[in-house]
Each structure stands twice: as structure tokens, then as C-alpha cells.
Amino acid sequence: MNIRYYSTNRNLDSVADLVPFKGTVTFKEALLQGQAPDEGLFMPFPVPALAMDDIMALKGLPYTAAAELVAGAFLDEEIHTDILKGIIAEAYNFPVPIERVKDRLYILRLDQGPTASFKDFAARIMARLMSHFRRPGERLNVLVATSGDTGSAVGEAFKGVAGIDVHILYPREEVSDMQKKQLDTIGDNVRAISIEGKFDDCQNLVKQAFSDPALAKYNLTSANSINFGRILPQIVYYVYCYAQLAVRGEEIVYCVPSGNFGDALGCEFAGRMGLPVKKLLMPTNANDEFPRFLKTGVYEKISPSRASISNAMNVGNPSNLARFFDLYGGTVDRTGKVHKIPDLDEMKRRIESVSVSDQQTRETIKKVYRDFHVILEPHGAVGWYGLESYLDRSADPALCVCLETAHPAKFPGELNDLLGFAPALPNSMKELAKRTGEPFFLSSGYPEFKRFLERHLMINE
Ligand SMILES: *Cc1c(COP(=O)(O)O)cnc(C)c1O
């Protein structure tokens, strides 16, 4: 199917200093550009459909089969099937466990990749697609803002990939020591920049660099959740998990602990491709701008974002909100200004969101371990709390799956305090202690960041 990508800002005709991008691009262009020329986010049209027969045929098959089905539906016009298969086989060399908690409630563990975070799923595909689509001889410069886990997943995914350099910006005070270590020590073509500021500052620096004409010659591209190449692989696990658990055709509730909303957007697209998603639950931490929006119809971003123990979700103005608004007929720009309200009733029919405090998160970790011997870390616990609060309100007997987005061993101090032991390290993390490396240190000012880029980036391979 011939799928094109348009900008979420295409209808902003009467906004000062903004020229809406009215055209469309291919997947390759959307992947390499990261965001649209008008700073909107790229959206696929049409969204390809999956047949229930094809979904159920994935039962018992490896994860790679689901990835081939979903990615193939989007990319069959732009990349040869065999090349795509090769990319998927290389990217997904780790297990994807589905853990039963009780009755028809499950945890989908997306924490077995090289950086023990669900972001490995998207980053590893995206890095390889970029390498495939890049013009030979031309260097790509990837800039990533991370609140913790994105950066290391992206960095590890790109490590050693020819012709691509990666710089990762993280907020110095908001990432854990282990996350710092993961980011600072990747090495090779991947460097970390420790920013004196918040995650939102890092995100703004990156966004400013992308729209700075003086930096255009560096072929800047993003690997943040604003890149559609990050969203596409995040559709796959919803389809895979459904095929493993469902009998056929029944509805499923997915609960996705949410920050920048890229993960949940994968579920939204899975539903639009034909997966029978009954509800998409998107619990947040103390950054409650979205649950408040669903309740009141008024969107107010939280700036600066609030710190919490589920730190990869400390986002006060989620990038992918623009995509959700677009899918429901609304428009919001990157500053969080709403230009057109989406169909709120329809949104509320399909999506629910609650804000979960750190205290509730901690109690959930203790309770789920006590009652079920299931170990959750703070992000997954925000998810589980959101699922339980939904079940309290609706007594829904449907099949329910909550995503665990990071490995509990990434939070040894917190879990030791709550459970009395630190979870065993996955193999990927055992190696970490031996690694060394230093980040660059910068303030959150744009001029300094720009000078840094002009000094460090290269144009040609
Ligand atoms: C990034 C991240 C999230 C939030 O995902 P979004 O796509 O930003 O909503 C949740 N948990 C962990 C561990 C993460 O790294």
C-alpha cells in the first residue's frame, strides 16, 4: 500500500511565524527528517489494516514474525521484504516474556533488550532503517533528548553503525546514577551531553537545533519519540501479545505507563489497524496534564515538568500529544497551544488516564510483590495502579495487559527500600560496571549548544 506522511501542523494557516507544511513525504523522508518542516509531527495516511486471520496466525510464532507483519504493512512499497526481514532478525535477538499475574491480567515485559528498557524495541529497528535509507557517503547526525532511558536505548542501537554519529542530551539532576553510567559509557560514535536543566530544556535545545538554518548542513535527525520510525516498531508488541493471549477476536485492554505518549500511540495505531482494543489506559505520574485534559477539556502543559520516581515519564508537555489530537480531529502545536479541540467524547470512549503519585507507585510495588510475587519497577507500577483503578471502576472481565517498560534491576535502591532486596541484574547490565566514559557538560542555553555542535559535528562520512 502506498502510505504517505503528512504534518500535524498542516492546518495552522493563521499562526504567526508558521508556514504549514501542506505536502506529504515517504516513510524514508519522514524517518530521515524526524519532524516536518513546520515543526509538526509526521502522520501516516492511510493507516494500513491487518486481517484477524493474519494476526491470529502469529500465535506461537517468534516475535520477529509479528514485526514482519506490522512493519511490512507500512513499508512494503519502500523496502524489500528480505532486507526488512534481515533488519528485524538482527534487532530482535532477545525474549519478550508475557507474565500472568492472575485471572486474565498479564504483564508484558519489554525489559529484556540491551538497555533493559522498552525503548530498545523501537531504537534498534530505527537505527538499522536509518542506516539502510541514508545516502552513501553522507553522514547523519542524530540528536536525542532523553529523560533517562531513551538515550541509552538509542545510543546502544546506533553504536558502531557506519556514517551515523549520535549526541545524547540528558538532564543532569534527573537521571539515576545507573542511567548516567549507561549514557556516558556507550562510546564509539555515541557521545553523551550532561545538561544543567530539566528534560524539557534538553528537548527544547534539540528542537531549536533542528529548526536552525545554520545547522542544516549537518543532516541533523532526531531519534526521539517524535520520529515516526520510533512509533512504528512500538505497534508490534500489542499485536504480538494479543495473538499469544487471545482466543480470537475478543477485546483487550492495554495499560501503558505514559510520558511522551509514543508507547501508547503504538497501541492507538494497533487499534486503528484492526486490533480489537477495548480501552487504552494511559496512567501518568505527577505530570497530570493529560488526565486533567480528559476531565476538563482544557489542556495546560506543566512547565517545568514535575520530578517523580518514574523519571522516564517526567514529561509536562508530551510530544506525541500532537499525534493523538490529530487522530481525534484536533490540533495542538509543540508549545502546547491548542488550536483545535479534538473530539473529546470519542477520546474518552477509547482512552482513560489517571495520575499516580509516588506514594501510590511505591505501595503498588509492595502490594504486587506481596500478593503475586511479581516484581515491578516504578514505571510498571504506575501502569499497574492505573489498571487496578480502571478495574475498580468498571469491573471489566476483559483480557488486560499492563506493560512493564523497564527492568526492576535498574532501580536497586528504590526496590531494596520497598522489598528488602535488589532484583538480580539481567545480563545486559552485568557488563555495565566495567565500562568507563565521560560526558560533555553544557548549560541549557541555546547559543552554547549551537557552538558545541558547530565544533563537534561532521558533514561527510
Ligand atoms: C520512555 C519511558 C516511558 C514512557 O514512554 P513514552 O513513550 O514516553 O510515553 C515509560 N517507562 C520507561 C521505563 C521509559 O523509559
Side-chain angles (χ1 to χ4, degrees):
M1 195 195 298
N2 185 16
I3 299 164
R4 305 285 300 184
Y5 296 79
Y6 65 83
S7 167
T8 53
N9 282 351
R10 72 200 174 289
N11 295 324
L12 297 185
D13 290 299
S14 46
V15 178
D17 299 328
L18 194 143
V19 182
F21 176 67
K22 302 280 188 189
T24 60
V25 300
T26 61
F27 176 83
K28 170 183 169 172
E29 290 161 335
L31 177 77
L32 296 180
Q33 289 171 27
Q35 67 180 353
D38 57 7
E39 299 187 6
L41 306 192
F42 283 122
M43 290 290 283
F45 188 83
V47 175
L50 296 178
M52 185 53 72
D53 282 348
D54 291 340
I55 296 174
M56 292 317 301
L58 299 171
K59 193 181 275 298
L61 293 188
Y63 188 80
T64 48
E68 286 165 17
L69 178 69
V70 173
F74 277 92
L75 301 178
D76 60 357
E77 297 272 321
E78 293 194 53
I79 185 167
H80 193 280
T81 309
D82 291 339
I83 294 177
L84 186 59
K85 273 190 175 179
I87 286 174
I88 288 169
E90 214 181 274
Y92 296 131
N93 54 0
F94 51 86
V96 187
I98 302 171
E99 197 173 323
R100 184 158 173 269
V101 180
K102 65 164 182 177
D103 307 327
R104 301 193 79 202
L105 309 187
Y106 294 83
I107 298 273
L108 172 60
R109 287 209 183 262
L110 303 176
D111 59 0
Q112 305 290 302
T115 68
S117 132
F118 89 95
K119 294 193 172 75
D120 289 328
F121 283 79
R124 293 175 64 72
I125 290 286
M126 195 177 69
R128 286 161 178 80
L129 286 175
M130 281 186 166
S131 174
H132 169 75
F133 280 123
R134 145 191 86 94
R135 262 209 304 269
E138 206 170 82
R139 203 170 200 92
L140 281 181
N141 280 294
V142 174
L143 296 182
V144 198
T146 184
S147 56
D149 287 336
T150 319
S152 50
V154 169
E156 291 290 346
F158 277 99
K159 184 173 176 165
V161 174
I164 305 186
D165 286 331
V166 181
H167 284 90
I168 306 168
L169 289 73
Y170 67 80
R172 196 169 306 162
E173 307 297 337
E174 286 182 11
V175 303
S176 70
D177 288 347
M178 201 177 317
Q179 284 171 326
K180 266 190 194 124
K181 177 106 186 171
Q182 269 184 321
L183 291 164
D184 294 345
T185 62
I186 298 170
D188 214 339
N189 55 330
V190 181
R191 298 300 304 264
I193 306 176
S194 170
I195 296 287
E196 192 182 333
K198 303 246 176 199
F199 171 60
D200 295 345
D201 296 317
C202 299
Q203 222 169 9
N204 278 330
L205 287 174
V206 168
K207 283 175 178 171
Q208 283 184 71
F210 284 132
S211 52
D212 187 337
L215 300 178
K217 61 177 184 248
Y218 295 113
N219 268 326
L220 294 184
T221 190
S222 85
N224 269 348
S225 47
I226 58 176
N227 194 310
F228 191 77
R230 283 276 306 280
I231 304 299
L232 171 52
Q234 292 175 176
I235 304 171
V236 175
Y237 35 79
Y238 299 100
V239 175
Y240 169 78
C241 180
Y242 180 83
Q244 309 315 312
L245 296 177
V247 179
R248 188 197 159 97
E250 73 264 43
E251 290 186 311
I252 187 166
V253 172
Y254 272 114
C255 182
V256 188
S258 290
N260 249 326
F261 293 8
D263 196 359
L265 190 69
C267 186
E268 177 72 34
F269 275 117
R272 285 167 191 264
M273 293 178 82
L275 199 73
V277 177
K278 178 177 190 183
K279 280 276 182 201
L280 167 55
L281 310 178
M282 296 171 54
T284 68
N285 57 28
N287 293 282
D288 62 351
E289 68 287 341
F290 187 60
R292 274 194 294 118
F293 169 72
L294 287 181
K295 202 178 286 173
T296 64
V298 179
Y299 180 68
E300 283 173 299
K301 69 175 172 182
I302 295 173
S303 179
S305 56
R306 296 172 185 151
S308 81
I309 57 170
S310 48
N311 71 339
M313 308 191 322
N314 293 344
V315 182
N317 183 28
S319 309
N320 283 298
L321 188 65
R323 288 192 167 110
F324 273 100
F325 267 46
D326 190 82
L327 288 170
Y328 288 88
T331 309
V332 60
D333 66 25
R334 74 175 179 88
T335 68
K337 182 168 157 47
V338 176
H339 298 269
K340 184 164 176 247
I341 290 264
D343 183 340
L344 197 60
D345 289 338
E346 180 64 8
M347 223 178 199
K348 280 157 72 162
R349 210 173 58 73
R350 292 164 65 161
I351 300 174
E352 290 190 23
S353 182
V354 293
S355 165
V356 183
S357 70
D358 279 354
Q359 194 194 338
Q360 289 164 331
T361 305
R362 291 188 168 110
E363 278 162 9
T364 302
I365 291 173
K366 282 203 275 199
K367 186 169 147 245
V368 170
Y369 184 71
R370 190 190 61 215
D371 294 350
F372 309 113
H373 268 73
V374 169
I375 305 178
L376 296 178
E377 52 69 60
H379 305 82
V382 167
W384 192 261
Y385 185 96
L387 178 57
E388 288 206 320
S389 106
Y390 168 76
L391 293 172
D392 284 347
R393 273 174 284 126
S394 67
D396 191 343
L399 178 59
C400 296
V401 176
C402 180
L403 273 52
E404 176 51 291
T405 50
H407 195 283
K410 294 180 107 170
F411 302 84
E414 191 67 50
L415 289 218
N416 195 36
D417 288 348
L418 294 170
L419 304 181
F421 63 92
L425 293 181
N427 283 335
S428 61
M429 290 175 64
K430 287 183 188 150
E431 291 300 307
L432 192 63
K434 298 177 209 149
R435 301 199 326 202
T436 56
E438 283 293 314
F440 296 105
F441 294 93
L442 294 180
S443 73
S444 62
Y446 182 66
E448 187 187 349
F449 181 55
K450 181 172 176 173
R451 274 196 306 277
F452 172 88
L453 294 178
E454 286 176 322
R455 219 175 318 122
H456 285 89
L457 300 189
M458 286 185 284
I459 296 174
N460 297 310
E461 212 175 314

